[in-house]
Amino acid sequence: MLRPLVVLLLAANIGFWAWSQGALDGLTGVPHDSDREPQRLAAQIAPERLEILRTELPASAAPEASAASAASAAHGAASAASATAAAATAAASSAASTVAAAAAPPAEASAAALTPPTAVPVPPPAPVPTVCLEAGPFNAAEWRTAQVALRRVLDDSSWTLTSREKAGTWMVYVGPYKSREIMARRADQLRQLEIAFEEARDLPDEYIPGFVFGRYGVEADARALQTRLTSQKIRYVRVVPLVRPAVSHTVRIPKADPAMRARLAALKPRLSGNAFEPCGR
């Protein structure tokens, strides 16, 4: 029973001695000097560039910092190689980042590219100058022709029509007499009948010589006087229109722009000689 144990212990001692001499490094895969890791130190890249920064701690934290420093001192040696390799990797990544940053557009340019351009306000168009125009007066026949011409170039809503009625004048008249003698005898008769009259003056030649018994703005009033004189045996009394009643028309365009004025100027031959002129003339 003891013999196998002795043999086992002897074999273990021989194996440990061989491993400590490095004879079993290739067989076991565990280097005999792995606690020092010389291969990691040999793999360091630019170890002279490694710099350990110290941070000043407040006095109250000094005892804890001392304990922490003592605890991390042992671990610092083991992680030095790892820090070196990480520093090399970080340096390579920093270089790649620098190249990418140099190739990338500035942040302001990117923001400007993404920001839509500010819309420039467009000023409203200048108002077209307009003027008030009017033409007339037209009598009934002239207005019928002018109205047809206007409606060919303008809408009814663009112009207004003003109509004025002019009253007529009628006179109650007798004459003309062939001679002044006959006229004188008739004047004596009228005076005997106490009928008011006056000799015709400022009338067309066709009414001179003659007598005028009255002028009226309403034809019915003139007709009434004619009837009364006829009943008094005054012969040849008639009602003569001096001024016939008429309706005149004036057309006004409140807002005529240059294009409309050009169209209106072309209509003058159809407006019985009436041209459109500024309002109030």
Side-chain angles (χ1 to χ4, degrees):
M1 185 67 184
L2 294 176
R3 183 178 295 177
L5 180 59
V6 173
V7 173
L8 180 61
L9 290 175
L10 180 60
N13 288 327
I14 294 172
F16 178 77
W17 178 83
W19 174 78
S20 64
Q21 298 300 318
L24 301 179
D25 289 351
L27 180 64
T28 62
V30 179
H32 68 286
D33 54 356
S34 60
D35 56 343
R36 290 173 291 154
E37 297 183 346
Q39 73 281 6
R40 293 184 180 273
L41 296 177
Q44 292 182 3
I45 300 175
E48 66 276 2
R49 297 177 59 184
L50 181 64
E51 182 180 356
I52 299 176
L53 301 178
R54 297 181 179 276
T55 304
E56 295 296 334
L57 298 177
S60 59
E64 297 179 3
S66 299
S69 298
S72 61
H75 186 267
S79 61
S82 299
T84 303
T89 304
S93 300
S94 177
S97 300
T98 303
V99 174
E108 293 81 358
S110 301
L114 296 177
T115 303
T118 303
V120 179
V122 179
V128 178
T130 59
V131 296
C132 177
L133 299 177
E134 63 182 5
F138 302 93
N139 59 33
E142 292 172 343
W143 171 239
R144 284 194 294 268
T145 302
Q147 187 177 23
V148 174
L150 283 174
R151 285 179 171 170
R152 289 179 180 175
V153 297
L154 299 178
D155 296 332
D156 289 351
S157 59
S158 62
W159 49 268
T160 59
L161 180 67
T162 303
S163 299
R164 294 183 176 88
E165 183 176 359
K166 184 178 181 180
T169 303
W170 291 264
M171 68 176 179
V172 181
Y173 168 82
V174 63
Y177 295 101
K178 293 181 179 181
S179 64
R180 287 287 176 177
E181 292 78 6
I182 299 175
M183 182 179 177
R185 290 196 298 268
R186 180 59 61 92
D188 291 338
Q189 293 176 356
L190 295 175
R191 292 188 185 95
Q192 292 175 3
L193 295 173
E194 297 182 350
I195 296 175
F197 66 94
E198 64 180 13
E199 184 176 349
R201 294 185 179 88
D202 301 327
L203 292 176
D205 293 341
E206 59 181 308
Y207 300 116
I208 297 175
F211 295 117
V212 177
F213 299 97
R215 291 178 171 86
Y216 297 90
V218 178
E219 184 179 6
D221 295 341
R223 296 293 179 187
L225 178 59
Q226 179 190 23
T227 302
R228 183 163 58 85
L229 293 175
T230 302
S231 65
Q232 294 178 341
K233 309 302 181 181
I234 305 299
R235 295 181 299 173
Y236 311 116
V237 177
R238 54 184 173 141
V239 175
V240 178
L242 295 177
V243 179
R244 294 188 178 274
V247 178
S248 62
H249 306 279
T250 301
V251 61
R252 171 175 290 196
I253 301 176
K255 295 181 179 180
D257 56 25
M260 186 181 295
R261 294 200 294 271
R263 295 196 299 269
L264 294 174
L267 292 180
K268 184 176 180 179
R270 303 292 304 275
L271 302 180
S272 303
N274 292 286
F276 277 92
E277 298 180 352
C279 299
R281 286 192 176 182

